[in-house]
Amino acid sequence: MRDNSAMNINIESLPDDPKQLKKLLGEVVQKYQFLEEQFRLAQHKQFGASSEGHPGQGELFNEAEELAVDSEVPEQEVISYTRNKPKRKPLPKDLPRERVVHDIRDEDKICECCQSELHYIGEDISEKLEFIPAKVSVVEHVRPKYACKACEKSGTSNQIKQAPVAHSVIPKGYATSSLLAQIITSKYQYGLPLYRQEAMFKQYGIELSRKTTSDWMMKCATTLQILYDRLKATQLQQSVIHADETTLKVAKENKQKCYMWLYATGADSPEGKVKGSSIPNIVLFDYHNNRSANCATHYLGNYQGYLQVDGYAGYHSTQATLVGCWAHARRKFTEAKTAQGKKTNGKADWALNHIQKLYRIEQQIKDKIVDERYQIRQEKSVPLLKQFETWLIKSEQQVLPNTKLGEAITYCLNQWEKLQRYTLDGKLSIDNNRAERAIKPFVIGRKAWLFSQTTHGATASAVLYSIIETAKANGLVPFDYLMHLLTMLSKPSTDIDQLLPWNVNLT
């Protein structure tokens, strides 16, 4: 709705004092700029492309056509430029292989010139990937019974001997560790809801209700809780933790929004670890029905290491040393640039270019050891940060505070101590993207299954997501890891340390 208040001003009622008129005019200009920015941001949100978004459904449906075109690109194609053909990665060597020989007939193995017999000089091999659909089978566990014939004849008490029942996560159910691992990864790794899995199993003639699989998920989470607790204890011993949180709808909670909190250490993969750092790759989710500061303090306890987060005030009550996120700061200036439209005063661009210089240094040191990262940051990043701080202080006096650019400047100044703290330790990152990447699979999966039914279900989901994402971060196949865990944890006196992802032996 259009605001007509400025148009309805009574000219006769305006003050004659130039200072008062100047103040009034400033308020009108400030309001106009705010509304203009909000309009541009709304347009960009609805029609603009997002650099952080995911492909839309239309793009997903067009995926096959795009890939088909790419696969036919010649070695070099010259239009107005030259580009190299992307190389196809070879198929894994450990995959089972079937050799199919396409040979010519024996009578064709004769030279047409001299009629001599042709001899073998080599062969060409092309690999084709065969897909074998899922195979469902029944494993019968047979336990023979033994009794004494002599005791039977004499009428005395007869002792029956029989092997004990095999250990299982679901003792009285028919689910094996492989079936449970398949259902868990299908939902929590690939976002396939249980009702769709129910339909999938029905194709094989197996009636597997959602209630049954839901109960299984709860029991699996209870079994895996001991490993989750060990991972958490290990995580809280580390010097750096990344944290983030996202919303979650829980049907039987009396609240519109609940939250899944995430805590991550190490890197996304074994290859991404900072050289010289022994911090293990751990990703743990923690469910709460609110976003209060108590959630973070409850999880972290008396943790006093570095906690890298965004600017959310809920983390301030922890005992950790907070480290800011330059990705969030950069996002604020990107919004300011978008809000300005085609009009530019250079400030948003200057800030973005300066932040890019800081990121360029991080790119240069990503393969350096911890001590070298620290030293280079002291030499190159710290002077840039001092320049940026000076610019922020000066610009605060020149920019209206309620504009997007003013908000970006205020955010950086309020977060400044935390934003420059990453230079104090080579193990720290310039941003909190470690946590944002780790929480993204949950956010994407949430679009498929939409909500959790109960608090217990959300807590179970936190455990199962944690095991899967930690497995991925350590280079393990989640299905194989889960199947091994469920098999071993159903046995008594299992050594938990040997099940940690960096210790486990899946061969």
Side-chain angles (χ1 to χ4, degrees), residues 36-37 39-41 43 335-346 348-349:
E36 190 178 30
E37 283 189 351
F39 174 72
R40 286 202 185 96
L41 288 172
Q43 277 193 315
E335 288 179 0
K337 181 177 173 63
T338 301
Q340 289 173 354
K342 294 182 179 179
K343 297 188 303 180
T344 57
N345 60 12
D349 286 324

Side-chain angles (χ1 to χ4, degrees), residues 14-58:
L14 290 175
D16 295 328
D17 186 354
K19 289 185 178 181
Q20 292 183 351
L21 278 172
K22 186 176 181 181
K23 180 181 178 182
L24 182 62
L25 179 61
E27 291 174 354
V28 172
V29 170
Q30 188 172 351
K31 184 174 182 181
Y32 171 77
Q33 288 181 341
F34 174 77
L35 293 174
E36 190 178 30
E37 283 189 351
Q38 294 300 312
F39 174 72
R40 286 202 185 96
L41 288 172
Q43 277 193 315
H44 180 76
K45 185 176 181 180
Q46 184 171 3
F47 303 111
S50 172
S51 61
E52 298 177 355
H54 301 285
Q57 290 296 323

